[in-house]
């Protein structure tokens, strides 16, 4: 039986989960995969942590050099996270001809090109299923399951923390701050939640996923990014009344005018399967020219779900010798060959505070029309004396037109303020 | 660039779709896959059909022998359907060392073992992504994406025709007959709809999917099968009022007591992501011991979705040399090593017609309790004078206990009839 030796760099949550799966299921993998997968060594400063997982002290390496020079190690699993020392370790592993499996979306989003160069040069595999959407096999689906398709769009709930927060705001009526606090208490959000709530984490993932989907290099600098910190429960409530659910989406579209990639809060119609993806669940919705709509749904994070993706890569690397490398120009130069759209075409949810007097709506809709923004739906609520919220949903239109219309509308006497402008997908 | 020659056997709906994708996307596959995929020959009696697709008459083979002796053919795509002549053709292709890609679920469900023996003997690949759930990459997910998991359960809406019918019954209030007629008019259902509405099609797919999921041979004879022909809009309506949606599910469970595999109408809770899979869409929900819940959603049939799955297999076969074969004893003998459960444990939706008089419900619930069936919810509707429907939803219990209880209940004077017994999943 073929033997496959694994080294794990970092025994945090995901590293621990990976060790547990590999160790508990060794006999199962022998039977089902014809592979004897063994954890040969781990690199972890906290030796007690290793021992508590049942790893013998003698298996804990003292340096990355010790790991990469170990002839029994075929695959190096990097689950440290962040840029350094992960980048140095991964590079050393690749230089030694070891196949690397990583869950590190930030490292991968920022340094994929140079890591891939090292991997190719040394005939090593470079696997990254776990970097995007945890246990959901979205990378394998893009690289080995939808090859027959030109992918037209990708829309995903690809950050569990923000989806938990938005679900609680929608279902429990909590404020952003209340929901964040509970997410932190449950361990879904970090003490410093910036990476999640400002959309950086989703941006890393979208840059990787959309590069694969559209077969062209999309760096994080190409991704328009907005977080969820300024969302209010009022917007969520008004959206709900109109049949829409608010989600933080990563959106990539491959249109005739170019590619657009963006992470921002988005209302989705309740008919859209993404609308019912709740709590910390993730989902990715794809449209291929042949297959039409497809959606994959599951846990985007956690020790065992992410461990599942890593182990899947480890086994794939053990069974196949023809590794996946990007088929496009995977360098910064690649960007220059791709046309990107900056004036997004979208529907919009616009909330205004207006004076409760005759003729206001007519003036507002006149200004939208003048700027070629076509209105789909209007909701006016008479709740506060003299000052009422108006919610307008537009048809598809260029963002530049919406901005122009809103500038004009804000200068109307009867309009106190424009409180929210949120993009919307059917 | 590596060349890959393809032969297509049968130019029906799926064969035509496959030809279209391969032909239209040839340059795209060169660029993205590094493969030059060409359709070298087709086998199709109706030469006009071939010509109408843009295929030159000289490319239409006159016999399977001509196809399999063509040295330019690497992969034979079988999209004829049914057992013969597909089985003879596929066997001849494998004997000639050609890799086979098939969408033929009936052939595969019935003859996978002997086809696999031929494939292995001749070092040929045998790919079948398109046999289950059309364009949804569920086979690749099971074989190359969730290898790290022991799969605990699989639940799927794996037949689009019946899902269309049940959706229309639920949303439009149509009867089964009305919905079937419309499905036939739209081409979703055959003139003779038996294979779909009696659950045979879903049974073929479930036998393939659950074999892969549970790593053991599950033949169609192991699958308990019930169709949708006796379902009424009343049941659907009462279920709706209690928060459940009626679907034809393929269910596989790997429990401590053994494996259970069954195709039957099932109420699912509206919280379950399967509940919102509508019309002709399909979805498969899996639970893995590591990854937890996963769901894949998409088109289960049609020229291009199924063609997408076939082309994905063709490209996979062109890029990888280490083909997938079943890791379990894939013979009839394999069945004997597997323990199957026949007394299913489930929740139940039970509809009775009872006399509208005091104490009836107490008698009924007493008989359930006496037979160890615990009641979760009761709904009694006073609609017809003297005769009222009562809907009971049970907690999890063995089917044998439910049957026993119902026998006793039916003999009560105040009970006119037991109109429906339908399994239910949360």
């Amino acid at each position: 039986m073929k033997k496959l030796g694994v080294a794990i760099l970092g025994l945090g949550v995901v590293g621990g989960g990976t060790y547990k799966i590999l160790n508990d299921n060794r006999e199962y993998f022998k039977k089902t995969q014809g592979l004897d997968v063994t954890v040969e060594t781990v690199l972890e400063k906290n030796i007690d942590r290793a021992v508590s997982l049942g790893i013998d002290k003698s298996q804990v390496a003292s340096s990355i050099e010790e790991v990469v020079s170990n002839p029994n190690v075929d695959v190096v699993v990097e689950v440290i996270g962040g840029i350094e020392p992960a980048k140095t370790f991964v590079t050393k592993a690749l230089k030694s001809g070891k196949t690397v499996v990583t869950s590190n979306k930030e490292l991968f989003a920022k340094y994929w090109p140079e890591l891939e160069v090292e991997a190719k040069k040394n005939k090593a595999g470079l696997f990254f299923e776990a970097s995007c959407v945890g246990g959901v096999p979205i990378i394998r689906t893009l690289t080995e399951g939808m090859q027959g398709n030109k992918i037209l769009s990708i829309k995903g709930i690809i950050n569990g923390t923000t989806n938990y927060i938005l679900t609680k705001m929608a279902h429990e009526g909590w404020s952003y701050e209340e929901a964040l606090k509970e997410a932190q208490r449950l361990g879904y959000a970090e003490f410093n939640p910036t990476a999640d709530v400002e959309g950086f984490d989703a941006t890393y993932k979208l840059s990787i996923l959309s590069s694969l989907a559209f077969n062209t290099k999309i760096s994080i600098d190409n991704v328009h990014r907005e977080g969820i910190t300024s969302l209010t429960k009022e917007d969520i409530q008004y959206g709900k009344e109109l049949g829409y659910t608010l989600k933080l989406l990563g959106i990539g579209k491959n249109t005739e005018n170019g590619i657009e990639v963006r992470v921002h809060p988005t209302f989705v119609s309740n008919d859209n399967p993404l609308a019912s993806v709740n709590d910390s669940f993730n989902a990715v919705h794809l449209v291929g020219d042949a297959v039409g709509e497809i959606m994959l749904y599951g846990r985007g994070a956690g020790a065992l779900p992410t461990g599942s993706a890593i182990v899947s890569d480890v086994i794939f690397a053990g069974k196949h010798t023809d590794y996946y490398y990007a088929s496009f120009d995977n360098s910064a130069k690649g960007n220059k060959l791709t046309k990107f759209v900056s004036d997004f075409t979208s529907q919009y949810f616009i909330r205004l505070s207006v004076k409760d007097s005759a003729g206001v709506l007519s003036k507002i809709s006149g200004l939208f029309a003048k700027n070629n923004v076509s209105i789909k739906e209007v909701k006016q609520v008479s709740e506060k004396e003299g000052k009422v919220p108006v919610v307008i949903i537009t048809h598809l239109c260029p963002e530049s037109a919406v901005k122009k219309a809103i500038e004009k509308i804000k200068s109307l006497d009867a309009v106190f303020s424009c409180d929210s402008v949120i993009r919307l997908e059917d």
Side-chain angles (χ1 to χ4, degrees), chain A:
Chain A
M1 184 172 297
K2 189 177 171 186
K3 286 179 82 71
L4 191 73
V6 176
I8 303 178
L9 313 183
L11 290 177
V13 172
V14 175
T18 302
Y19 178 78
K20 189 176 153 50
I21 298 172
L22 288 175
N23 198 54
D24 291 0
N25 290 357
R26 182 173 169 192
E27 291 306 314
Y28 181 74
F29 297 148
K30 280 190 195 170
K31 188 182 148 221
T32 59
Q33 305 295 332
L35 276 180
D36 186 12
V37 188
T38 52
V39 178
E40 294 289 324
T41 183
V42 298
L43 188 61
E44 167 61 50
K45 271 187 239 161
N46 182 345
I47 294 180
D48 291 346
R49 167 78 180 148
V51 170
S52 76
L53 286 165
I55 299 169
D56 194 90
K57 274 183 191 171
S58 67
Q59 283 188 282
V60 183
S62 58
S63 70
I64 184 66
E65 285 71 23
E66 196 184 324
V67 172
V68 302
S69 64
N70 185 333
N72 296 328
V73 170
D74 303 294
V75 177
V76 172
V77 171
E78 184 274 306
V79 281
I80 301 167
I83 302 301
E84 285 297 351
K87 181 164 174 264
T88 301
F89 289 2
V90 165
T91 307
K92 285 191 177 172
L94 293 171
K95 277 189 195 293
S96 312
K98 310 291 188 193
T99 282
V100 166
V101 171
T102 180
S103 63
N104 193 329
K105 60 211 125 201
E106 184 180 359
L107 176 66
F108 215 76
K110 291 182 178 167
Y111 297 100
W112 181 4
E114 54 189 279
L115 297 178
E116 192 169 83
V117 167
E118 280 305 334
K120 279 180 174 169
K121 205 193 292 174
N122 298 287
K123 297 190 170 51
L126 180 56
F127 289 87
F128 50 100
E129 179 68 81
S131 70
C132 295
V133 206
V136 178
I138 179 66
I139 306 280
R140 196 85 76 237
T141 295
L142 286 167
T143 57
E144 310 282 0
M146 289 183 68
Q147 312 98 312
N149 290 266
K150 289 180 193 162
I151 294 175
L152 308 175
S153 72
I154 175 165
K155 293 179 196 170
I157 294 171
I158 53 181
N159 178 275
T161 307
T162 49
N163 202 43
Y164 174 83
I165 292 172
L166 293 175
T167 301
K168 289 299 169 193
M169 289 173 74
H171 293 187
E172 316 289 342
W174 295 351
S175 69
Y176 167 74
E177 288 73 21
E178 287 167 330
L180 171 62
K181 215 167 157 189
E182 181 64 10
Q184 285 171 321
R185 200 186 64 80
L186 291 169
Y188 289 165
E190 311 270 343
F191 175 69
N192 176 350
T194 308
D196 291 318
V197 299
E198 294 293 0
F200 289 100
D201 175 86
T203 296
Y204 299 147
K205 293 171 186 163
L206 184 63
S207 94
I208 298 168
L209 294 174
S210 58
S211 294
L212 293 172
F214 305 141
N215 277 286
T216 190
K217 174 66 189 172
I218 294 171
S219 87
I220 51 175
D221 303 326
N222 301 125
V223 181
H224 172 86
R225 178 186 53 76
E226 294 171 33
I228 64 162
T229 53
S230 62
L231 298 176
T232 65
K233 54 183 179 183
E234 286 75 24
D235 286 323
I236 291 175
Q237 190 54 41
Y238 290 128
K240 210 180 198 176
E241 286 166 20
L242 292 163
Y244 298 95
T245 302
L246 191 54
K247 297 292 184 189
L248 181 71
L249 291 195
I251 298 176
K253 292 186 183 179
N254 194 359
T255 73
E256 279 177 16
N257 301 322
I259 285 175
E260 50 185 83
V261 270
R262 38 195 173 102
V263 168
H264 53 68
T266 313
F267 276 111
V268 291
S269 158
N270 288 341
D271 296 339
N272 187 313
L274 289 169
S276 42
V277 175
N278 289 323
D279 299 316
S280 66
F281 275 96
N282 282 203
V284 180
H285 180 275
L286 299 163
V287 178
D289 64 345
V291 79
E293 279 187 69
I294 274 208
M295 190 175 89
L296 281 75
Y297 164 95
R299 293 253 173 230
L304 293 178
T306 309
S308 164
I310 287 172
V311 172
S312 163
D313 273 352
V314 167
I315 290 172
F316 197 92
K319 294 189 78 172
H320 300 284
T321 48
D322 21 32
Y323 304 132
Y324 170 86
Y325 302 118
S327 57
F328 45 87
D329 179 358
N330 193 4
S331 68
K333 221 175 63 194
N335 281 323
K336 297 184 187 126
L337 304 171
T338 305
K339 204 179 146 201
F340 288 97
V341 174
S342 57
D343 187 11
F344 306 139
T345 295
S346 181
Q347 295 181 70
Y348 291 84
F349 166 105
I350 298 157
R351 180 158 64 94
L352 306 165
S353 289
V354 307
K355 208 177 279 173
D356 195 2
S357 62
V360 182
L361 211 54
S362 141
K363 277 184 197 152
I364 291 171
S365 45
L367 282 170
F368 275 122
K370 209 173 161 188
N371 287 281
N372 296 312
V373 175
S374 157
I375 292 176
K376 190 178 181 180
E377 210 171 344
V378 174
K379 186 180 167 72
Q380 184 167 354
V381 192
S382 256
E383 54 182 20
K384 287 174 201 162
E385 207 161 291
K387 187 175 173 181
V388 298
V390 172
V391 174
I392 289 154
I393 291 177
T394 74
H395 284 292
L396 280 175
C397 57
E399 186 143 324
S400 54
V402 170
K403 281 186 176 161
K404 235 169 158 180
I406 290 174
E407 277 317 302
K408 300 283 182 199
I409 287 166
K410 276 161 77 177
S411 67
L412 289 174
D413 276 350
V415 173
F416 297 114
S417 58
C418 174
D419 303 321
S420 307
V421 181
I422 298 173
R423 298 182 191 85
L424 183 147
E425 299 272 330
D426 270 335

